[in-house]
DNA sequence: AGCTTTGTAGACTGATTAGTCGATTTACTA
DNA sequence: TAGTAAATCGACTAATCAGTCTACAAAGCT
């Protein structure tokens, strides 16, 4: 059954974001998931493998969400705008995954696992930025710097929305937020 | 002696940023600091108190660095510019503290301790932003949103500089980075 | 139906951990 | 100098943890 496996991942996610990786014993994960510890270690050889699996699966969903409907936009600005709102939507709809991702990204765990791989997955955003620069629409600065800056801006905006849930449906506020993002980018 | 206490804090900082909070045993901290575990627990009642102390002391130094020489600037833009370069300088000069601060801020630990207190300490930046808005220099959006956004932008820029140390002395690059920051703010 | 593989269970273990305790030394005060 | 308080030490403990082991149950295959 793949069902138990999924239950374990979900239980782990919840416990990790509230307690942290190391403060969450495997026994508690199993207990919360309603399975035995033996079952947990049957599906994941080690606790670390469980964490990494959770990270990679979370990232897969994130990447897919980010690129959704981007092709349907005509202009570079439209595409980047789509990415922006995709990112907001993902964070709002998957708050626990969002938290987990932030936590993992800033923890020393990340250095053990594929850090370079991270950027490769966001390649399509790099490509958008590069195109924008060639059209003289975006700032002519190192692309990594541009990427990190908007990533940061986006993180900040997301954090704000998480702390002020009433704003999530405030169209005007979201437009202002997009302006912050776009002004960071545009040359 | 306060010397041992300092040694403990320094050892803890190094171990925390490389191993994480929970993956760092108190025995190892004591050993690295060259003291006995009893000494560690004499200075800090619990491991959590040690972590919180480290966080608060780190933050104190950070805040002080951020506000340095800001008064000497005439304009709002000048003041915010000073804050920007102060932040960069702090991160460059205290990379371990910077890492620790990021790690702690994104960990579930933060929820246990004074989260609201965080913003209070940055009050002077809020004041600057408010003044700038009143002079129609900055974007007329919720001040929390503005704050989180530039905080995020700054984080991104810092991360970039950490990954590309050769750029740290590149004046032109730093000016470009400041432009990213300023364009996020200005209305 | 037999046989093999895979999934599930939970008691158990060896290692590790945060924190304690009583003994000893150092620093401070009168 | 005598006496007290604070600092240091490290062996020790009770609890907890990641991961193992053995047994049993489904499921798939021929």
């Amino acid at each position: 059954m793949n069902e138990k496996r999924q239950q374990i991942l979900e239980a782990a996610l919840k416990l990790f974001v509230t307690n942290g990786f190391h403060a969450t014993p495997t026994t508690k994960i199993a207990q919360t998931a309603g399975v035995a510890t033996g079952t947990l270690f049957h599906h994941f050889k080690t606790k670390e493998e469980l964490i990494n699996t959770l990270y990679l699966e979370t990232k897969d969903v994130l990447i897919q969400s980010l690129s959704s409907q981007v092709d349907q936009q005509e202009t570079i600005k439209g595409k980047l705008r789509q990415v922006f709102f995709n990112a907001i939507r993902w964070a709002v709809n998957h708050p626990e995954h969002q938290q987990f991702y932030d936590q993992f990204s800033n923890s020393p765990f990340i250095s053990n696992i594929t850090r370079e791989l991270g950027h490769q997955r966001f390649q399509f955003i790099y490509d958008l930025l590069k195109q924008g620069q060639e059209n003289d629409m975006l700032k002519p600065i190192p692309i990594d710097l541009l990427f990190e800056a908007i990533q940061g801006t986006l993180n900040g905006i997301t954090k704000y929305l998480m702390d002020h849930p009433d704003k999530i449906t405030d169209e005007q506020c979201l437009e202002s937020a997009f302006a912050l993002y776009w002004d960071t980018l545009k040359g």
Side-chain angles (χ1 to χ4, degrees), chain A residues 11 15 25-37 40:
Chain A
L15 291 169
T26 50
T27 49
K28 205 171 202 171
I29 298 174
Q31 185 189 323
T32 304
V35 303
T37 62
L40 190 152

Side-chain angles (χ1 to χ4, degrees), chain A residues 5-185:
Chain A
R5 190 189 132 102
Q6 205 56 34
Q7 282 168 20
I8 293 168
L9 284 170
E10 279 167 27
L13 176 67
K14 272 179 195 152
L15 291 169
F16 285 157
V17 297
T18 51
N19 302 117
F21 303 124
H22 293 279
T24 303
T26 50
T27 49
K28 205 171 202 171
I29 298 174
Q31 185 189 323
T32 304
V35 303
T37 62
T39 307
L40 190 152
F41 283 100
H42 172 73
H43 287 286
F44 308 95
K45 276 200 284 290
T46 65
K47 186 183 181 181
E48 192 164 333
E49 184 178 308
L50 167 61
I51 296 175
N52 287 341
T53 303
L54 198 51
Y55 173 68
L56 291 175
E57 293 196 359
T58 296
K59 187 142 93 176
D60 273 348
V61 176
L62 168 60
I63 301 274
Q64 224 160 355
S65 301
L66 284 189
S67 51
S68 157
Q69 291 186 300
V70 169
D71 289 344
Q72 292 163 38
Q73 300 296 322
E74 301 276 331
T75 64
I76 296 280
K77 182 173 177 179
K79 287 174 196 284
L80 286 167
R81 187 189 152 93
Q82 185 70 47
V83 172
F84 174 84
F85 282 103
N86 283 345
I88 302 284
R89 189 169 36 80
W90 183 77
V92 167
N93 291 341
H94 307 79
E96 278 165 342
H97 285 87
Q98 158 77 22
Q99 253 181 286
F100 173 77
Y101 192 82
D102 281 353
Q103 198 176 310
F104 191 92
S105 301
N106 287 284
S107 87
F109 251 103
I110 193 73
S111 44
N112 300 341
I113 199 189
T114 56
R115 168 113 81 143
E116 315 90 52
L117 230 149
H119 282 195
Q120 283 173 23
R121 306 294 270 283
F122 289 113
Q123 190 58 50
F124 79 99
I125 298 183
Y126 273 83
D127 291 342
L128 282 178
L129 294 178
K130 202 170 173 188
Q131 262 185 277
Q133 283 186 329
E134 282 163 3
N135 296 2
D136 293 326
M137 291 184 63
L138 305 183
K139 291 189 173 70
I141 59 175
I143 214 154
D144 284 335
L145 176 53
L146 205 55
F147 180 81
E148 294 292 352
I150 56 161
Q151 183 101 325
T153 307
L154 197 48
N155 279 346
I157 294 170
T158 303
K159 198 180 287 180
Y160 172 79
L161 289 175
M162 293 314 215
D163 288 346
H164 304 78
D166 54 306
K167 301 288 184 182
I168 289 171
T169 52
D170 181 341
E171 292 291 334
Q172 203 182 336
C173 181
L174 293 182
E175 278 306 326
S176 306
F178 174 66
L180 288 170
Y181 174 86
W182 180 246
D183 285 356
T184 307
L185 284 172

